[in-house]
Amino acid sequence: MRRPSLAFTQTSSRLLLLAVLLATLALWVLDPIVLSKLRLAQFDQFQRWQPTQAAPSAVRVVDVDEASLAAYGQWPWPRTRLVELVQRLQGAGIAAIAFDVLLAEPDRTAPKAMARLWQSAPANTLLQTMPDPDEALTQALRGAPVVLGSSLSNSASMAAGHAPALPFRVVNAGTPPPWMPDFGSAVWPLSNLAAQAGGVGAMNFAADADGVLRRVPLMFRLNGQWVPSLSAETLRVAQGARNYVVRSNEAGVEEVRIGAIAVPTTAQGEIWLDFGQHMPDLLVPAAQVLSGQLTDGQLKGHLVVIGSTAAGLMDVRSSPLGHLMPGVQAHAMALSQMLSGQYLLRPAWARGAEGLALLLGALVAGWVALRVPVRRSATLAIVLVVALLAAAWWAFMR
C-alpha cells in the first residue's frame, strides 16, 4: 500500500486548519442560540461566585402581598385606596412613586359603573351623585411625584389609547441606530390620570433566548420616537428633571443621561442587572403603609415602586440565579444600581475582542497540533482553555 507523501499530508493539515478557522469565524459571526446560551450561563455563574457588596439602597417596593390583600380586599383595589396609598407615601417624604400597574381602565367599583350594573332607579339616582374615585385619584396625583406605567406592543390586537402629552423631553446626541426595535402601539393610563401624573414610563422587559431576565431597558423606540422605561422615568421624576439625553450612533446606544445621572448602557439602551446584590429591606407591605405603621423617616427620600408579589398578581420572571422573581423587583434593582453608580458593563469592543481571541486561540491550537506530539498538544490545549476562562473571570471582576 502506497503511503501519502509528506507534502500531501502537510497540505491536508493546513486545509484542515483553515477549515477550523473558517468554522470558528462563522460561529462568531452567526452567534447561534446554543453559543449565546453558553455565554450567558457562564455570566450567570460568575454572578453566583462573586456577589457585589452593595451599599444601602434608597429604593423600596411597596408590596401588595397576600397579607395586604387579606387586610384590604382583593385586587384591583378601588382608586380611593390608591389615593390613600399615595397620600400616605407623600406624608412619609418619598422622592418618587412608580406604579408597576397599568391603570388603563376606569375603576370598576365607581358609583357610575355600579349604576349601569344595577336596575333600581332610586339607587341609580343616588349613585350618579356620588364622587368619582378616578377623579379623586386625579386630584391626588396633581403635583405629586408619581409615575404611571404604560405598555408598548407590536400586536395589532392590543387596544391602544391616545398618547397623552408626555411630561419629558428626549434630546438625541447622535444618530439613533436604524436597527433598533420600534414598537408600533402603546396602552396608556387613563388620560385624566396621565395628565396629572409626574411621569409615564413603559413597563416592558426584554428576556434573553433562554427566557431569563438579565437586563432592564432604559429607553424604547415608539413610532420612531424615544420613550423611557418605568425605571428611567422614576429616576427623572425623583430628581425633578425635565430632559433625557440619549448618546447613540450607528452601532447603538452608548449612554442615557437622566437629569444629572449618566448611565452607560448596552447598544439596545439597557443596563445589566447585578443579581449578586442583596437587598434585604426591599419589600414593604402595602398594609403597613395604609395602616400608618411606618416608622419616622423609614421611607424619607426613597424611590418607591408599587407592585405585587402575591400569587396570581405578580409579573413572574426567571432570574439568572435559577429562581422566579416578581417583575417589580427588576425595576427596583435597576433604580438601585443607577443611584449607586455600580454597573455591570459589557464594553462595545468586547465582541471584537472575543472574536480576536477566538481566532488567535484557533491558530495557536492548530499550530500546536501540527508541530507538537499529541500528549503535549492536549496539555497545551487545556492550558489555553483555562487561560481564556481566567481572562473572562478577570474581566468580570474588573
Side-chain angles (χ1 to χ4, degrees):
M1 182 176 179
R2 187 176 181 181
R3 295 181 179 179
S5 66
L6 181 60
F8 178 79
T9 302
Q10 290 180 342
T11 301
S12 299
S13 300
R14 288 168 182 168
L15 289 174
L16 179 61
L17 176 58
L18 179 61
V20 170
L21 286 174
L22 291 175
T24 301
L25 183 61
L27 280 175
W28 175 71
V29 172
L30 296 176
D31 195 22
I33 291 179
V34 173
L35 190 62
S36 176
K37 285 183 177 181
L38 287 173
R39 182 170 59 248
L40 292 171
Q42 181 195 49
F43 173 75
D44 296 344
Q45 189 60 53
F46 284 171
Q47 291 206 67
R48 299 187 189 103
W49 285 343
Q50 186 63 34
T52 304
Q53 299 299 321
S57 174
V59 179
R60 294 291 183 269
V61 171
V62 170
D63 183 15
V64 183
D65 58 1
E66 300 287 356
S68 300
L69 294 175
Y72 291 95
Q74 69 182 39
W75 188 264
W77 283 344
R79 298 288 155 81
T80 49
R81 186 77 67 204
L82 299 185
V83 169
E84 184 181 357
L85 192 58
V86 169
Q87 291 173 341
R88 291 277 190 181
L89 289 171
Q90 277 194 279
I94 50 84
I97 306 170
F99 276 92
D100 187 28
V101 178
L102 188 59
L103 302 176
E105 298 177 349
D107 188 350
R108 63 182 177 84
T109 65
K112 291 182 179 179
M114 293 295 99
R116 289 192 295 269
L117 182 64
W118 294 355
Q119 301 300 320
S120 170
N124 287 353
T125 302
L126 177 62
L127 288 170
Q128 292 288 353
T129 63
M130 295 178 67
D132 183 358
D134 282 317
E135 181 59 30
L137 182 57
T138 300
Q139 296 299 325
L141 295 180
R142 183 170 295 147
V146 176
V147 178
L148 301 180
S150 63
S151 179
L152 309 182
S153 176
N154 281 319
S155 173
S157 62
M158 179 177 283
H162 295 291
L166 299 175
F168 54 79
R169 185 179 66 169
V170 180
V171 179
N172 283 309
T175 304
W179 48 263
M180 192 164 180
D182 197 344
F183 290 95
S185 63
V187 177
W188 304 99
L190 290 172
S191 58
N192 57 328
L193 299 181
Q196 299 301 327
V200 178
M203 301 183 294
N204 299 62
F205 290 122
D208 287 307
D210 56 0
V212 176
L213 177 65
R214 297 180 177 88
R215 300 177 305 278
V216 168
L218 296 186
M219 302 298 293
F220 299 94
R221 300 285 285 175
L222 174 63
N223 295 319
Q225 302 296 320
W226 292 110
V227 292
S229 69
L230 188 71
S231 306
E233 187 71 337
T234 304
L235 186 59
R236 180 191 70 80
V237 170
Q239 298 176 80
R242 166 72 176 169
N243 294 339
Y244 292 94
V245 179
V246 180
R247 290 181 55 204
S248 61
N249 53 40
E250 293 294 327
V253 181
E254 297 178 344
E255 178 185 273
V256 176
R257 179 174 288 277
I258 308 171
I261 298 177
V263 184
T265 69
T266 68
Q268 289 77 27
E270 306 160 331
I271 61 172
W272 290 86
L273 292 179
D274 187 352
F275 284 88
Q277 291 190 3
H278 184 51
M279 304 172 72
D281 301 322
L282 177 65
L283 301 178
V284 177
Q288 184 178 341
V289 178
L290 290 168
S291 61
Q293 297 178 17
L294 293 176
T295 58
D296 290 342
Q298 182 178 346
L299 295 181
K300 186 175 179 60
H302 283 62
L303 281 67
V304 169
V305 186
I306 298 174
S308 179
T309 63
L313 291 185
M314 68 173 172
D315 175 22
V316 180
R317 302 285 174 170
S318 297
S319 83
L321 304 185
H323 56 71
L324 298 177
M325 70 172 194
V328 66
Q329 183 177 338
H331 291 301
M333 292 172 66
L335 284 168
S336 180
Q337 288 178 214
M338 289 188 286
L339 286 176
S340 67
Q342 296 181 357
Y343 303 103
L344 288 174
L345 299 176
R346 179 174 165 83
W349 48 263
R351 181 163 169 77
E354 288 172 350
L356 182 61
L358 209 58
L359 286 175
L360 289 177
L363 279 172
V364 170
W367 182 86
V368 168
L370 290 175
R371 288 169 172 76
V372 179
V374 174
R375 289 185 179 179
R376 289 186 180 179
S377 63
T379 302
L380 289 173
I382 292 173
V383 170
L384 180 63
V385 171
V386 171
L388 288 173
L389 289 174
W393 171 248
W394 178 87
F396 177 82
M397 293 286 292
R398 297 293 176 180

